[in-house]
Every structure is written in C-alpha cells, then in structure tokens.
Amino acid sequence: MSGVEHRYEVTTRRDVWSGRIFSVVSDDVTMPGGGTATRDYVRHVGAVAVVALDDAGQVVLIRQYRHPVGRHLWELPAGLMDVSGEDLAAAAARELAEEADLTAGRVDVLVDLHSSPGFSDEVVRVFLARGLAEVPAGERHERSDEEADLQVVRVDLDEAVRMVLAGEITNASCVAGLLAAARARETGFAELRRPEAPLPR
C-alpha cells in the first residue's frame, strides 16, 4: 500500500446517552482536505462468544430471542464483558457454563471481530472450546429473562456452515465463529492463538 493515511482527530466529544452496556457519543472529527464532520456512534463494553466443538465434530448452537430484530436467532454461547477486570477466556468459560451447561478442557482464540464498525466500537472475541464436559446438574446456572427460553442443540460443524451459507444463521459472531472453526479444522487447528493474545486495537 502507498500513501500516508489521514489521522482522524476528535476535536469535540459529547455524551448523548449512557447505560450499563453501551453509551452513545457524538464526535466532531477532522476530515481529509480540511474541515470536520460529526460522527455519532455506540461505545460498547465488548463481548465474548464460544464455538464449543465436541469430539464428534458437533458444535453447540443456541436459539435465543433478540428483541431488536423481533425474532429468535441461532447463536453461539456468548455474553458481555460487563464484569470488571474479568479475563476474556474466563468470561467465555462462564458463558459456556451458564448458557450450555458445559466446561472445556482447552480454550483457544478463534477470531476477533468488530461486529458493526459503521456505528459501534464493539469488539467480540470468539473462542474455540474443546474437551467438553457437562456441568453437574446440581451446579448449573439458573437462567432468567430471555435465557429462560434458550434452546440448546448440537449440530455437525458442516451442517452449521451450510446453515450460515443458506442464510439460516445471521448473528455476526456466530457466522464468523463457525466459518473460522471450519477453516481451523481444515488446517489441524495449527493457526489458533492462545487465550491471552491481545485484542485488536
């Protein structure tokens, strides 16, 4: 690549709204050739998701209601980075246990994504979990709200990829995670990053 990238600098920032999970800000940003433009966006706490792959080559999918789109979606076990100081891999293990009643003997970084960079700074880290085991019945998380309605299934990874390409799976982290898992399996899982790998900046 040639040329020097323009450095976009924030000259003014206004807090529009703030909540527990995300906030909305309005920035005035310097543009190439002079002048500024206003950019409104969502600042998000971030999230983790888990492709849980068992010894039979099946992945865990969750069917969950998502109110903004008004319907149930196929997703991965996932959750917010809303526990202060929590390690990303620990958060992924927590979500796997809470949503799928599973533990993992091995967790690696599968893929990182900016889920919707046109309007949000959200970063999602998707882990690959292997060596799965059931959480004992007496130690399982009690689900509430939308999670009380969760449907948890295991699907062959190749079938899950077919569902992605057929438009049956549209959740961004689920699409990315499943396609990355299929690619990782093809290469013998040789390209995976360790759980402590830094997030993209």
Side-chain angles (χ1 to χ4, degrees):
M1 295 178 62
S2 62
V4 177
E5 291 185 337
H6 173 74
R7 184 174 176 181
Y8 293 85
E9 296 183 351
V10 176
T11 60
T12 308
R13 170 164 292 161
R14 294 169 296 281
D15 294 321
V16 178
W17 183 86
S18 182
R20 184 180 67 86
I21 297 169
F22 65 86
S23 58
V24 180
V25 298
S26 184
D27 287 350
D28 293 332
V29 186
T30 60
M31 292 290 127
T36 61
T38 301
R39 295 291 178 259
D40 302 327
Y41 65 99
V42 172
R43 300 186 76 179
H44 194 278
V45 297
V48 292
V50 186
V51 176
L53 181 65
D54 68 18
D55 293 339
Q58 294 183 314
V59 291
V60 175
L61 294 180
I62 288 173
R63 186 90 169 154
Q64 184 170 358
Y65 178 75
R66 292 298 187 181
H67 188 68
V69 296
R71 62 191 181 96
H72 287 76
L73 297 178
W74 287 113
E75 303 186 351
L76 301 173
L80 298 167
M81 286 301 304
D82 58 353
V83 176
S84 179
E86 186 176 30
D87 175 77
L88 291 167
R94 173 174 52 82
E95 294 297 338
L96 185 62
E98 289 180 1
E99 295 191 352
D101 300 320
L102 292 171
T103 61
R106 177 166 184 171
V107 175
D108 296 285
V109 175
L110 189 55
V111 68
D112 295 319
L113 62 145
H114 289 103
S115 57
S116 191
F119 79 93
S120 176
D121 68 353
E122 181 186 32
V123 176
V124 182
R125 167 154 285 181
V126 185
F127 290 91
L128 178 67
R130 291 174 286 171
L132 305 180
E134 298 281 342
V135 173
E139 300 174 18
R140 293 182 179 178
H141 176 72
E142 186 174 336
R143 302 181 185 113
S144 60
D145 299 328
E146 289 94 341
E147 289 186 353
D149 185 41
L150 285 184
Q151 177 187 354
V152 183
V153 300
R154 293 199 192 193
V155 177
D156 186 84
L157 178 56
D158 290 332
E159 170 62 11
V161 169
R162 184 205 65 76
M163 293 170 70
V164 167
L165 299 178
E168 297 167 21
I169 295 175
T170 59
N171 173 279
S173 56
C174 191
V175 168
L178 293 172
L179 296 179
R183 170 62 180 171
R185 184 178 62 180
E186 286 178 1
T187 59
F189 304 107
E191 299 171 352
L192 299 176
R193 287 172 285 154
R194 295 302 305 143
E196 63 275 9
L199 281 171
R201 297 292 174 201

